[in-house]
Amino acid sequence: MKVAFLGKNFRDTYSGGRIHAWMMAHAFAAREHNVHYYTNTKPVFDEELKDYSDSSNFKKIYNKFFLFFPLQKYDLIVIIPHLASKRSYLIDKWLFYPQLIFLKRISGCPVIYVDFESPNWINELVPGSRPEEVYKYSNNILSAVDVILSTTQEGMKYAAQYYTKYNSGLSFKQVYLSINSRIADRFVNSKKEKQVIYFGRFGEKHKNSSVLNDIINALPPYYTLLVIGNPEKLNADIYQALINQAKEKGIELVFKSGISEREKYEHLALSKLLIYSSSFEGYGLPPIEAQYVGTPVLCSDIPVLREVNKEAEFINFDDKEILTVKINSMLNAEYDKNKLKASVSAFAEFNNYVKNIKYLVDSI
């Protein structure tokens, strides 16, 4: 089967959604389908993922303006949407999304639309965080779509409520996403250090990064708190206050950003605990990745995280007292690494994901 992927990528930025789509394309190629990925640039993570399928089955076609001619005929098309921005008027309205319409007309085949998170979902949990305006170009092509593919059952529930407004004939499917398991497997036996890891995307309300102060206060002395996030996105005074607070508590506060897949799994595996405070996620990769390498997780008590993290522990991060008790009890507990890994590997390990992609294709 010939499969076309159409999606935007970034040359120097790691994005969970972009990796999501790239891994999906590899999974199709690993099933020996002939995959063509139409995109604007070679993504920064391409080399780290290249061994997941036979390169002869996975062809990347680049054009920074999404001008791809002549277009070929395919048996299945997968569209990877992205949010509109002030700079996307020309590309999105006249070039990127119209390419899907042309491909559909030429091929006459089913189109899968990858649903990261519908606006009704994120705005219900974090009101006002995602204006529907940023979906205006992607919504315009929903009439050409046949299948909405969500990553979780929770996400599919909201997707069905939202997308049927634009196309009443849509069908809805769900497949849990794979992680970069072949790199992760290199670190599953790492020895734990006195380190806690935290993923912070500063400037995004739903990531709830304001809890960093409380986490520093909760940690016992002589621990390292590794924050995966760009400190330049923090207000300078807030950043300095965090540094001072950590120093007073005897905590080594370290920030890292733009890390590779290998570095991410190495840090996750060395840590005794991942703290994940996001109040909204379409999926939430870091908790799954952490458990795969044997690291316990303390995360926000939201339905989507409960759905995919059966062995994680959950908390309301507004309760500072309980946060302190929970962090210290988890740091002093013994966890079965194999049990943590097994709780996510059935869907997150790549070979299992490939099997699930087969079930998806068969159902379509």
Side-chain angles (χ1 to χ4, degrees), residues 172-202:
F172 294 86
K173 306 290 183 180
Q174 180 266 320
V175 176
Y176 293 119
L177 174 64
S178 170
I179 66 169
N180 196 339
S181 57
R182 291 182 184 171
I183 288 183
D185 282 332
R186 303 175 193 174
F187 300 102
V188 293
N189 295 317
S190 299
K191 185 177 180 181
K192 299 297 184 185
E193 298 179 352
K194 294 182 73 172
Q195 174 174 286
V196 171
I197 188 168
Y198 176 85
F199 281 71
R201 193 177 296 171
F202 308 115

Side-chain angles (χ1 to χ4, degrees), residues 28 45 125 194 240 262 268 312 342 354:
F28 273 93
F45 48 77
L125 297 183
K194 294 182 73 172
Q240 191 57 53
R262 184 196 62 77
L268 283 169
V354 170

Side-chain angles (χ1 to χ4, degrees), residues 154-168:
E154 182 73 6
M156 186 171 67
K157 178 179 71 177
Y158 284 91
Q161 295 170 2
Y162 181 77
Y163 293 112
T164 48
K165 296 186 301 183
Y166 299 90
N167 182 347
S168 60

Side-chain angles (χ1 to χ4, degrees), residues 33-166:
H33 298 304
N34 188 4
V35 175
H36 290 176
Y37 204 120
Y38 294 92
T39 188
N40 56 314
T41 189
K42 180 179 179 179
V44 63
F45 48 77
D46 176 53
E47 288 298 314
E48 296 176 272
L49 305 183
K50 68 179 182 180
D51 295 330
Y52 278 95
S53 62
D54 187 338
S55 59
S56 65
N57 292 338
F58 190 168
K59 182 179 180 182
K60 300 114 179 185
I61 305 166
Y62 303 114
N63 185 287
K64 65 179 180 179
F65 299 116
F66 295 99
L67 293 170
F68 302 109
F69 296 104
L71 293 173
Q72 300 181 40
K73 186 174 181 179
Y74 293 93
D75 302 300
L76 181 67
I77 301 167
V78 182
I79 177 75
I80 316 300
H82 56 266
L83 301 178
S85 67
K86 292 180 180 179
R87 295 183 295 179
S88 66
Y89 171 78
L90 176 63
I91 296 293
D92 288 352
K93 183 174 182 179
W94 300 106
L95 299 172
F96 177 75
Y97 290 110
Q99 291 286 319
L100 171 68
I101 304 300
F102 296 150
L103 273 175
K104 171 84 171 184
R105 287 175 182 170
I106 292 169
S107 302
C109 67
V111 173
I112 296 175
Y113 179 105
V114 176
D115 166 49
F116 294 109
E117 64 259 344
S118 53
N120 60 327
W121 185 17
I122 187 170
N123 286 322
E124 179 179 308
L125 297 183
V126 190
S129 62
R130 184 73 60 77
E132 192 162 342
E133 178 76 2
V134 299
Y135 292 81
K136 61 184 179 182
Y137 300 127
S138 55
N139 284 345
N140 283 341
I141 52 89
L142 288 170
S143 60
V145 171
D146 300 281
V147 178
I148 300 291
L149 179 63
S150 300
T151 312
T152 63
Q153 291 289 323
E154 182 73 6
M156 186 171 67
K157 178 179 71 177
Y158 284 91
Q161 295 170 2
Y162 181 77
Y163 293 112
T164 48
K165 296 186 301 183
Y166 299 90

Side-chain angles (χ1 to χ4, degrees), residues 1 51 91 113 122 144 151 154 156 178 207 235 239 242-243 245 249 262 273 295 297 300 314 319-320 347:
M1 184 169 71
D51 295 330
I91 296 293
Y113 179 105
I122 187 170
T151 312
E154 182 73 6
M156 186 171 67
S178 170
K207 296 299 182 180
N235 175 280
Y239 172 72
L242 289 170
I243 296 296
Q245 179 189 0
K249 284 280 297 178
R262 184 196 62 77
L273 177 66
T295 297
V297 174
S300 301
F314 301 89
D319 194 323
K320 300 178 184 180
F347 61 87

